[in-house]
Amino acid sequence: MSLRRRRSSANEPGLKYASGVGARVPPEQRPLGPLAWITLAHVGVFLVGTTWAFGGGYESLRPILAWWGSLGLLITLTALQDHDAWRDGWMRPLIWLPPLIAFNVLVFAASHNPSFREVTFGPDIMLVNSGGHSGLPSSARPGDALRALWLFDAIWISAFNLALVIRQRRALRGLLAVAVVNAGALAVFGTVQKLSHAKGLFFGAVPSPQKAFFSSFIYHNHWGSFAVLMMAAGLGLVWHHARRRDTRDIYHSPAFAGLVVVLILAITVPLSTSRSCTLLTIGLLGGAFGHWIVRLVQKRRRSAESIAPTVVGACLALALAGAAVWHVASDTIMARIAKTHEQLEQFGVPGNVDSRGQLYRDTWRMARAKPWFGWGMASYPHVFTLYNTRESKLDRLPVFYRDAHSDWLQALAEHGFIGTALLGLCGLLPLLRLRARHFSSPLAAYLLAGCGLILLFAWIEFPFGNIAVVLTWWLCFFAAVQYARLQDREAPAPVKLVAPDAKNEGT
């Protein structure tokens, strides 16, 4: 009995169609629509502009960034008008919005219950703790809270549009490639600026509030966090292009250029004097190196070839990369090692104060004072003065802190357990339906690994105190989630064969 190929219907998406039968074009092969191009351009300009605009580190620039990011809401509203997208299931990311909406309600409610009031004494403005209604969400400075919420929403919705609008993985790869190239340009710019001993940003044209600045970023740990995210994106793109069959070898593919950019970014992290981000970089590159070794050994064994050349070549590549880093940043590395050794010697000596530990303890006391809803968004620098116990050794005056140097603790102090949980759900909900099969391409896995490293780093530093890092994190996160989700949509489905009908059995 012969077999014939059954024609696919419109109710069976993803099936291969017989020759001559009208079929839907797979999403990956469709041209990008106008809204997709607008979304990519909007997010791309947002990222590039923010990174070069001092990482969003200056308050005067933040309203401009917020206005630009707010255009993302218009993109979201336009996407909601697509009836075909609703029918085909592309609007499912909307179920991730409730935590964000609830967080906005919390901040708005808190802004109507101020816990401080302004008192003017001549030219000075002082904040007096008026308490507000205890037990209800409150805000130290409602205006600051609403402005911070505006910028956060603008960033979140702009990155969220990647999951709502973009339906081709190649479009996400293109956006990430632009982001990585931009990071490489910033790295080269920062390296030249550093080696020329510039006294300020943009070769001294703009004074930096921090001595430890790098490239266009005011604080070296913020540059390091951004570089780690971009290295993760670069490594994911390298793996994607290295696995393609349309090039002779890695030297004739974009993978080699990607490796060069990743190496440049890796060099800049110790060069920026960021010790903690240097450790993150070593962890990320070490994991990628181990991944590469395992894949090469597996390939050699399948071909019944010796693994010795692979191991020797891998060690040689690692040695060359290490030599390149040492050649450029050896002076900086040795200076930071000496500083670390000095700090370790002073640690535990009677009379010396563990400033970071004391800061964390004071921040935790601030969080425990209002455990459920916190003191309000952007309230930390104003409220912490009530709990700060550290004094300057010179004049015995309290030391001012704008950030808690722990984003997790600061989130608890500002938003309480309820607000922090809502922020966590903004990132957790998109991950719930992802499974191992969604990560057959390493790109999504590398992006999420980079995001995970920054989340861990946020326990002991404040990477999310920088606007560019926040934007880059959410961009990488939603790009990874959507790339993984598209894995099912774009995977080729097997051709279904069925037995012929009885009346056609003889044909």
Side-chain angles (χ1 to χ4, degrees), residues 301-318:
R301 285 179 174 173
R302 285 195 300 266
S303 304
E305 299 177 355
S306 173
I307 65 173
T310 298
V311 175
V312 172
C315 292
L316 180 61
L318 185 63

Side-chain angles (χ1 to χ4, degrees), residues 76 93-94 96-97 155-165 478:
T76 305
L94 293 175
W96 307 338
L97 288 175
I155 290 173
W156 198 93
I157 205 70
S158 297
F160 168 77
N161 285 335
L162 295 177
L164 190 67
V165 176
F478 278 116

Side-chain angles (χ1 to χ4, degrees), residues 4-8 12 15-16 18 496-498:
R4 68 177 176 84
R5 180 176 287 131
R6 186 180 68 183
R7 289 186 178 183
S8 300
E12 299 176 68
L15 297 180
K16 297 296 183 183
K496 289 189 176 181
L497 298 176
V498 296

Side-chain angles (χ1 to χ4, degrees), residues 19-33:
S19 176
V21 178
R24 291 183 180 180
V25 179
E28 178 72 358
Q29 300 176 11
R30 297 176 188 171
L32 292 178

Side-chain angles (χ1 to χ4, degrees), residues 48-71:
V48 174
T50 303
T51 54
W52 285 95
F54 312 104
Y58 283 99
E59 293 287 344
S60 59
L61 295 174
R62 294 189 178 188
I64 300 174
L65 299 175
W67 276 113
W68 178 261
S70 298
L71 296 177

